[in-house]
Amino acid sequence: MNTFRTSSPTPATTSVALTRILAVGSLLSLIVLGLAWELWLAPLRPGGSWLALKVLPLCLPLAGLLKNRMYTYRWVSLLVWLYFTEGAVRAYSDKAPGNSLAMVEVALCLILFTACALHVRLRLKNAAEAAKSAPDTTDPVASSHANPAV
């Protein structure tokens, strides 16, 4: 049975677009914060630290988020907890200004997680609603011609 859907995909709602902007913005902010923190603002060693390489895993999902891939939103919502943990630990163990930067990292992680979780939830909800409201495009005449042996 061949069923063809002629309807175009549902347009992104305002809330889905907002969660996408929040996710991409907070991910970019985490990358910039991590680089600035470890190279200029409060490096572990004077002149910068190799700990700035911690932002490399954050660069990987950037392309997937920009291409709006659902799978990327799902695994970023798990990856972000590593950075949340680092921020929480360093917020209590580092001296100023490192502890303040760590609190900003924690806030950005919470925004990123919330944006990713809401984005996935809203997109799945919109897809389910679109599937419910889509008319059945199965044409009984066309399906009987698809298999002439019947």
Side-chain angles (χ1 to χ4, degrees), residues 39-74:
L39 294 177
W40 301 289
L41 299 175
L44 291 178
R45 301 177 196 276
S49 166
W50 282 97
L51 198 55
L53 294 176
K54 71 182 179 185
V55 301
L56 285 179
L58 291 174
C59 295
L60 295 174
L62 190 56
L65 291 184
L66 291 173
K67 292 179 182 176
N68 209 18
R69 293 190 174 151
M70 178 81 83
Y71 182 75
T72 306
Y73 284 92
R74 288 178 175 173

Side-chain angles (χ1 to χ4, degrees), residues 78-147:
L78 298 175
L79 173 72
V80 72
W81 290 111
L82 294 172
Y83 294 90
F84 174 86
T85 304
E86 182 218 9
V89 168
R90 291 184 73 176
Y92 289 103
S93 64
D94 282 6
K95 295 178 180 153
N99 63 348
S100 300
L101 295 169
M103 287 184 233
V104 172
E105 182 180 32
V106 166
L108 287 172
C109 288
L110 291 174
I111 292 168
L112 179 58
F113 174 77
T114 305
C116 287
L118 283 174
H119 185 85
V120 169
R121 181 179 291 229
L122 291 171
R123 278 182 60 187
L124 290 175
K125 180 182 171 189
N126 289 347
E129 288 174 359
K132 276 184 184 178
S133 65
D136 187 15
T137 58
T138 306
D139 185 7
V141 176
S143 62
S144 66
H145 293 296
N147 190 355

